[in-house]
Amino acid sequence: MKVVVQRVQEASVTVDGELAASIGRGMLVLVGISPVDTQKDIDYLVRKITQLRIFDDQQGIMNLSLLDKGFDILAVSQFTLLADTRKGNRPSYIKAARPEMALPFFDCFVQTLEKVLGKTVPTGVFGANMKVALINDGPVTILLDSFDGQ
């Protein structure tokens, strides 16, 4: 699994001109799933995401986590994070999980986040052509790969 974590002042997803989900302060998390991912990958990334100390403390130092601040997460499935661009100019997505595996896995990822946070995690619409809007705070953008935790 690969994720892009963006610290945001706000973020939203629109599909066909309709607002699908939105949050205020917190994180926009873009999620790429590979066919070899397991619950171990979910657990590792959920722990990293929720405990990542990227929010300012009273001294203005990034020293607090999402759990410390009580902020929200907007999770969006994004298979293009698994793009292979080594050959040519057209990305290959062969390393991304097929939708029949990726959707239940993404749902499990979101449910695991919800258990840790103790609240609902809004999401984009799986497989839809989404318009994702955000105000990146900082900007702070972090790349995480569950392979790094193994």
Side-chain angles (χ1 to χ4, degrees):
M1 278 179 82
K2 292 184 181 185
V3 299
V4 174
V5 174
Q6 294 179 294
R7 186 178 75 177
V8 298
Q9 289 183 357
E10 62 185 55
S12 63
V13 175
T14 304
V15 177
D16 296 328
E18 298 290 323
L19 182 66
S22 67
I23 62 166
R25 296 216 47 205
M27 294 178 177
L28 171 65
V29 179
L30 306 174
V31 183
I33 299 165
S34 82
V36 297
D37 291 331
T38 67
Q39 184 65 44
K40 184 178 176 181
D41 298 283
I42 289 174
D43 294 341
Y44 170 77
L45 286 174
V46 165
R47 185 174 59 255
K48 287 299 267 189
I49 290 165
T50 58
Q51 295 180 16
L52 202 58
R53 295 175 9 185
I54 62 170
F55 296 98
D56 292 349
D57 62 17
Q58 290 182 340
Q59 289 75 38
I61 297 169
M62 286 194 288
N63 199 29
L64 298 175
S65 71
L66 187 89
L67 288 172
D68 295 328
K69 297 297 272 186
F71 292 153
D72 294 320
I73 291 178
L74 173 57
V76 176
S77 178
Q78 187 173 347
F79 74 94
T80 59
L81 291 178
L82 280 289
D84 184 350
T85 58
R86 291 177 293 170
K87 291 175 68 177
N89 294 317
R90 184 170 187 240
S92 168
Y93 301 107
I94 195 77
K95 293 182 180 181
R98 303 275 314 145
E100 55 273 9
M101 183 258 180
L103 177 55
F105 199 83
F106 178 73
D107 288 343
C108 184
F109 171 77
V110 171
Q111 290 167 2
T112 305
L113 275 173
E114 290 176 338
K115 285 179 189 171
V116 171
L117 296 174
K119 59 183 167 182
T120 300
V121 172
T123 67
V125 178
F126 189 91
N129 184 353
M130 296 176 272
K131 307 302 181 214
V132 179
L134 70 140
I135 298 176
N136 195 320
D137 186 14
V140 175
T141 301
I142 310 284
L143 306 174
L144 298 172
D145 189 327
S146 62
F147 182 75
D148 295 340
Q150 297 181 25

